[in-house]
Amino acid sequence: MGSDLRDIPEEWPVTGTTVPFTGKVTGVRTDEVVMPDGSTARRDYQTHPGSVAVLALDDEQHVVLVRQYRHPVRQRLWEIPAGLLDVPGEHPLRAAQRELYEEAHCKADDWRVLVDLYTSPGGCDEAVRIFLARGVSPVEGERFEVAQEEADMELGRVPLVELTRGVLSGELHNTCLVAGVLAVNAALNGDGLDALRPAEAPWPARPYQA
């Protein structure tokens, strides 16, 4: 398929929109969408500000992880540090650096874009950018104060090879963890981590000012 193997922007006509629910961060929107055959169909979906996540890989090929309770799925999941793009005007890289500090009390010297994804494009407009962080080290001083689910959060560092086995065996399920682990393995077995996009690479799904 060559250069045609890419997602392209497209927008079908919308004849009407309602917003039946607006929450603190996300909401629900209902659009009346004109189909290619001229009919109209109702599409309900969750609106979302977007997210960033960080696969922090240390010099021993261990990945920095957090584990916390996720109520919708009734499970305690191993995850990579992640958070919402809920600060107006915040650069995605700055948001990722903030999340690594707040959740894992770490910083990193080298940042790259690992992978961009839509978490559930059939029912939600959430876009996520996953960064690769290397040169990982602890942050000095007291850890950022956490609350609610994050107050019960566990921290860990797990070998990448062990995480890969966990993903492929169906033991690990978090979207960003699964995508990040598989993407970093693909990069390591392909052109290498230094060939990844720079941290400032454009992000059409959530445009920002560099």
Side-chain angles (χ1 to χ4, degrees):
M1 296 184 67
S3 61
D4 290 334
L5 188 60
R6 61 186 179 91
D7 298 332
I8 57 174
E10 185 170 343
E11 188 169 352
W12 292 359
V14 174
T15 60
T17 295
T18 58
V19 182
F21 171 76
T22 300
K24 181 179 179 181
V25 176
T26 66
V28 174
R29 175 171 168 163
T30 300
D31 288 342
E32 299 290 339
V33 185
V34 179
M35 301 288 111
D37 63 2
S39 64
T40 301
R42 177 177 294 178
R43 293 291 178 262
D44 302 318
Y45 58 98
Q46 181 186 24
T47 56
H48 194 287
S51 306
V52 291
V54 184
L55 193 144
L57 189 66
D58 68 19
D59 294 339
E60 286 73 43
Q61 296 281 286
H62 288 62
V63 178
V64 176
L65 297 181
V66 299
R67 183 159 66 173
Q68 60 180 314
Y69 175 67
R70 293 301 191 182
H71 186 70
V73 295
R74 307 312 199 260
Q75 291 195 32
R76 185 182 292 271
L77 302 179
W78 281 111
E79 307 177 353
I80 56 177
L84 298 169
L85 288 170
D86 56 356
V87 177
E90 187 173 30
H91 192 292
L93 176 59
R94 303 289 92 77
Q97 292 170 332
R98 172 172 51 83
E99 291 299 333
L100 183 62
Y101 160 66
E102 292 182 359
E103 293 196 352
H105 202 58
C106 289
K107 60 183 180 179
D109 296 327
D110 184 83
W111 290 80
R112 312 272 174 153
V113 174
L114 182 57
V115 67
D116 297 328
L117 57 90
Y118 294 113
T119 55
S120 183
C124 181
D125 69 357
E126 180 184 12
V128 180
R129 168 157 282 188
I130 303 177
F131 291 89
L132 172 69
R134 292 182 291 172
V136 179
S137 61
V139 177
E140 296 180 0
E142 294 294 323
R143 189 181 171 212
F144 180 81
E145 185 176 351
V146 294
Q148 299 182 355
E149 291 97 339
E150 292 184 351
D152 191 42
M153 191 163 56
E154 303 172 52
L155 299 177
R157 293 200 186 196
V158 178
L160 177 61
V161 65
E162 185 177 331
L163 280 178
T164 305
R165 283 196 296 265
V167 167
L168 296 178
S169 67
E171 298 296 326
L172 300 170
H173 307 90
N174 175 264
T175 303
C176 292
L177 172 64
V178 171
V181 166
L182 297 182
V184 80
N185 273 287
L188 286 168
N189 290 299
D191 295 331
L193 300 183
D194 290 334
L196 292 169
R197 288 172 290 163
E200 304 281 352
W203 189 14
R206 291 294 185 273
Y208 61 88
Q209 295 294 322

